[in-house]
Amino acid sequence: PPVETKEFAGGTYVATLHEGAYDNISNTYAKLFARVASGPIDGKSWMLGDPPSLEKYLNDPRKTKPEDLRTEVWMPVCPA
């Protein structure tokens, strides 16, 4: 399919590092959701913001064993 561009509004995100295969990245999302819901982060209460969440792939899956993959997971938040 053709490549498209999309602009995102600025905002605040929480981020964490997923280490390992992509097939269990949903566990990292669940832990991040739970952390946002559990209480203040940096002294402030947050709730999940509007999508999209973002993933930043830190290494190449064609050259890296699944257990060595590293991915930053970013989720938008807004003040609670």
Side-chain angles (χ1 to χ4, degrees), residues 18-52:
H18 171 78
E19 295 179 296
Y22 299 140
D23 60 357
N24 64 0
I25 200 166
S26 61
N27 295 334
T28 299
Y29 276 95
K31 289 177 184 176
L32 196 52
F33 285 136
R35 178 59 189 98
V36 170
S38 71
I41 300 171
D42 292 338
K44 296 180 183 178
S45 293
W46 302 95
M47 60 184 200
L48 295 177
D50 291 328

Side-chain angles (χ1 to χ4, degrees), residues 7 12 25-26 49 51-52 54 65 74:
E7 290 187 33
T12 303
I25 200 166
S26 61
L54 305 171
K65 291 188 255 180
W74 295 67

